[in-house]
Amino acid sequence: MSGRSAGEIPTARYDRVAQRSAGCVIAGYSTSFGWATRLLEEPVRTHVRSIYALVRIADETVDDPDPTFSAAERSRLLEGLAAETARAVAGARSTNLVVQAFALTARRSGIGPALIDPFFASMRADLSVAEHDEASLAEYVHGSAEVVGLMCLRVFLDGDDAACARLAPAASALGAAFQKVNFLRDLAEDHDELGRTYFPGLGVDDFGDAERDRLLDDIDADLALAGTAIPHLPVSSRRAVAAAHGFYGALSRRLRTTPAQQIRRARVRVPDHEKAVIMARAVLRARR
């Protein structure tokens, strides 16, 4: 016996299972972002989690520090994921539940190759580029983070092209800020375990407070631009974006008061009690 409920459409059930699987990915990997998504209303929450799940699976493919996981195998798996994603977004059913969930969101919200292809290009770069210059970093951040912000924006605004175009600079800036904060938090892991240096010209072993502040000034400028869009978002997403923005603002402040050599050794985090306060403030401000 299949256990199917009377009158249930099999494809619809498969899609719901796929979307629940995406929720499991964010629960297993994310902390700050996972907290923020709890404030999203449905169906926005499900669609944002579906975007996150695909991004996370690709990211784990290139970033898993397991030394027995060869670059050739990572590349093979990444290319397979990219091809499967393209087929599913074009309308094919995928046996990869995360891909199926993402494709449902992409087709509904108008997320196409213009946003998806740069993402996979940045993931490929992680397998071949150990150090970036200014141009390659800008291209990498666009693909790895800015387009993800733009994907989420299309979900928030239900695919409204005019509104998306108006708020796109702020959405890109928020994605860039998130990524750059994570680069700074992960200096030790990226350099020591993965052999990568994202910030151009940064001598990780000589990293000092002046360099820390210069990088944070750039991050804070991105956060300031991103914050201008929050009041213009629908209620269904405004609280969650405000919370995520608040989390990364708190991380920036903590990083600025943490000695550079300590950042080099350990990952800076926002304590759960502080996250709870930030979430409460985001909820209260969204009501005004």
Side-chain angles (χ1 to χ4, degrees):
M1 298 196 48
S2 68
R4 184 181 304 159
S5 300
E8 182 175 19
I9 300 172
T11 301
R13 181 169 67 164
Y14 182 77
D15 289 346
R16 287 196 298 273
V17 171
Q19 290 170 328
R20 286 199 295 271
S21 78
C24 291
V25 173
I26 196 169
Y29 279 105
S30 178
T31 52
S32 295
F33 192 69
W35 276 55
T37 61
R38 298 174 193 175
L39 297 178
L40 293 168
E41 296 179 8
E42 289 291 4
V44 174
R45 183 189 306 127
T46 290
H47 290 303
V48 168
R49 287 176 172 174
S50 295
I51 291 170
Y52 175 88
L54 180 74
V55 169
R56 174 52 62 183
I57 293 302
D59 194 59
E60 287 299 307
T61 300
V62 299
D63 281 355
D64 189 314
D66 182 354
T68 67
F69 192 8
S70 72
E73 179 65 4
R74 294 171 195 263
S75 178
R76 184 187 71 80
L77 291 173
L78 182 66
E79 294 307 326
L81 181 63
E84 181 72 5
T85 300
R87 286 192 294 268
V89 171
R93 179 162 165 161
S94 177
T95 56
N96 181 321
L97 291 173
V98 167
V99 171
Q100 179 73 7
F102 175 82
L104 293 169
T105 293
R107 292 196 297 268
R108 182 183 185 277
S109 302
I111 297 168
L115 298 179
I116 298 169
D117 291 351
F119 169 72
F120 279 107
S122 287
M123 295 301 97
R124 292 185 188 99
D126 272 335
L127 296 176
S128 59
V129 179
E131 295 184 9
H132 286 274
D133 57 25
E134 294 291 346
S136 71
L137 179 64
E139 184 176 7
Y140 179 87
V141 170
H142 173 70
S144 66
E146 291 179 0
V147 298
V148 178
L150 294 171
M151 290 179 193
C152 291
L153 183 66
R154 294 201 66 83
V155 170
F156 298 156
L157 300 176
D158 201 20
D160 182 332
D161 290 335
C164 286
R166 187 169 62 254
L167 297 182
S172 294
L174 188 59
F178 288 1
Q179 182 67 285
K180 293 170 191 175
V181 166
N182 287 334
F183 286 160
L184 196 49
R185 297 171 74 202
D186 294 337
L187 276 178
E189 180 181 343
D190 288 339
H191 182 269
D192 300 343
E193 297 183 13
L194 301 175
R196 300 182 198 142
T197 301
Y198 288 101
F199 294 118
L202 178 65
V204 174
D205 292 331
D206 300 324
F207 179 55
D209 291 353
E211 184 72 3
R212 174 204 64 196
D213 290 346
R214 182 184 69 80
L215 296 173
L216 286 168
D217 287 345
D218 179 56
I219 289 167
D220 288 347
D222 283 335
L223 287 171
L225 174 56
T228 64
I230 294 174
H232 303 287
L233 293 173
V235 174
S236 58
S237 57
R238 191 184 308 150
R239 293 171 300 178
V241 176
H245 185 275
F247 292 157
Y248 276 82
L251 277 168
S252 176
R253 291 189 294 274
R254 281 181 173 269
L255 285 162
R256 199 177 285 274
T257 59
T258 301
Q261 285 305 300
Q262 186 175 332
I263 294 172
R264 172 67 177 84
R265 294 190 299 270
R267 200 170 199 257
V268 174
R269 300 179 184 276
V270 175
D272 286 352
H273 71 269
E274 187 173 345
K275 290 179 184 177
V277 171
I278 292 169
M279 287 183 70
R281 287 174 178 164
V283 171
L284 289 173
R285 287 172 182 167
R287 291 175 179 170
R288 295 174 185 173

